[in-house]
Amino acid sequence: VSKLALHGGEPILAASPSNRFVWPVVDEATRTAVNNQLMTSISIYDRSGVIEELEQRLEARFSVSHALLTSSGTAALHSIYAALRLGPDDEVIVPVYTFFATVTPLLTTGATPVFVDCDGNGNLDPAEVKRHITGRTRAIVVTHMWGLPADVSALAAVAKEAGIYLIEDASHAFGATAHGKAVGTFGFASAISLQAQKTLPAGEGGIVLTSSDEAFYWSLAFGHYNKRCRNEIPSDHLLAAFATTGLGLKLRIHPLAAAIALRQLDSVDDVLARRRAIASSMLERLAQLPGIRVPHIPADVEPSWYALVLQYDQTEADGLSRQRLHQALLAEGCVDIDLPDSTRPLVEFPLFQRPGDIYRAYGGRSFAIGEWPSARVYQQRAIKLPVWHRAGDEMLADAYVDAFEKVLQNRAQLLRTQDAVPPDNRP
Ligand SMILES: Cc1ncc(COP(=O)(O)O)c(C=O)c1O
């Protein structure tokens, strides 16, 4: 028996900046790239310079006809929804368990989001999707949660059979593959966030990927105007007449952000490879622990390991609560462990409970009527760990797993004091 740090014992990891998870890595090459861009241009009106270079690199990497950079992942999703030309008669199937920005831009179209429950990995469940398709369904949106690919070939088959679009939110899954094919290339279009935490960071930025010219022209015109639209939309296309003004928004990426992402693209495959190696060694040990379930990785799938999200079932650990376990792990120095509770069933947010208070198209409706039991359980059991990526980070990954072992093996100490923990009274 060893004394837990929460009770005054020696912590597994000292509180030191060198023990923190560091992301993004702002290396010398990134600083140089930003400096050079600063001296070249900080506003680019057309598809040239760093914008063109990054878009071309992404098109080649994903083998798609079009990569369009945007100001954020949210903007990329918004542009895709605009490209679908959705209206109040339309329904769009969305995951109930995802980051809210997967769905929030949809509300600007007046279409109805139809929330669907998840599988054991927190990903959209294709069987549930099928049950919710109606004559009004225009699209299925899937997020590859935490970088673990959803059952995207099943979803593509469901979409194909129903004659509707599949849209991927691959914001967590840059670099993930399913059946050897890049996640983000299975549907009609996909969105990827380049926000600072993401695997390809720009700081702020996003990408629309599509091989549909129509989706590209509409996404382009939705968030760009004048030169880009005049140069890239064919003169015989409906949108050509609107090229000077675009359709109302400006969603361009900042050139300095594009310069960061372009440089980070050079190292992203090394990062992905190290995350894979570290994740697999962590999974092997974590899977042995009481109460812990590691993600199920289907054969022929390669996650990007944006994060490692465990499922913790306290009934298998004598009732030690997730909050108490988290507290004890933090005390052991594992300060980058998180209970990702702001990623929760979206129907719990006022925006989806009372959308009509904000968007008149929705009148007195609520999208929060139904049951999403798997998503609720998934969120209530989730414990999120970083997946490290630098040479030498194995030491930190091992220490985190050591801390889990120490706390769970000595859980009797914690159970004696568990009542002192304030209840988790979030909704
Ligand atoms: C799954 C998912 N979708 C969309 C977004 C939105 O991206 P952004 O923050 O770049 O707007 C994020 C992250 O922030 C995300 O995690």
Side-chain angles (χ1 to χ4, degrees), residues 401-414:
V401 182
D402 291 345
F404 266 91
E405 281 178 1
K406 178 181 172 189
V407 172
L408 284 167
Q409 280 162 11
N410 294 284
R411 62 188 178 277
Q413 293 175 41
L414 286 171

Side-chain angles (χ1 to χ4, degrees), residues 72-74 77 99 101-102 143 169 171-172 193 195 198 205:
S72 68
T74 310
L77 286 152
F99 183 66
T102 309
T143 306
D169 180 350
S171 293
H172 291 180
S193 167
Q195 184 270 336
K198 305 300 187 298

Side-chain angles (χ1 to χ4, degrees), residues 270-307:
D270 291 338
V271 167
L272 287 162
R274 274 193 233 111
R275 285 192 177 169
R276 276 175 191 143
I278 286 184
S280 79
S281 78
M282 291 172 78
L283 290 176
E284 210 168 293
R285 287 177 60 203
L286 286 166
Q288 314 299 320
L289 297 176
I292 301 287
R293 200 177 71 220
V294 301
H296 166 68
I297 319 249
D300 212 13
V301 148
E302 196 70 86
S304 62
W305 297 114
Y306 173 58

Side-chain angles (χ1 to χ4, degrees), residues 252-370:
R252 262 187 220 157
I253 194 171
H254 196 294
L256 295 181
I260 294 171
L262 183 60
R263 152 65 201 112
Q264 297 276 327
L265 196 52
D266 293 336
S267 49
V268 76
D269 288 309
D270 291 338
V271 167
L272 287 162
R274 274 193 233 111
R275 285 192 177 169
R276 276 175 191 143
I278 286 184
S280 79
S281 78
M282 291 172 78
L283 290 176
E284 210 168 293
R285 287 177 60 203
L286 286 166
Q288 314 299 320
L289 297 176
I292 301 287
R293 200 177 71 220
V294 301
H296 166 68
I297 319 249
D300 212 13
V301 148
E302 196 70 86
S304 62
W305 297 114
Y306 173 58
L308 168 52
V309 175
L310 305 170
Q311 289 282 284
Y312 173 68
D313 180 356
Q314 65 173 42
T315 63
E316 292 169 14
D318 305 323
L320 176 68
S321 73
R322 184 179 64 134
Q323 285 73 16
R324 192 68 170 148
L325 170 61
H326 184 221
Q327 275 184 346
L329 290 165
L330 293 177
E332 297 297 338
C334 301
V335 291
D336 291 309
I337 294 182
D338 181 33
L339 305 183
D341 286 342
S342 62
T343 301
R344 55 192 313 118
L346 299 187
V347 289
E348 293 178 12
F349 290 110
L351 192 57
F352 299 112
Q353 292 180 345
R354 296 183 277 114
D357 288 5
I358 306 301
Y359 292 104
R360 280 171 50 190
Y362 297 114
R365 297 172 62 196
S366 173
F367 307 130
I369 299 158

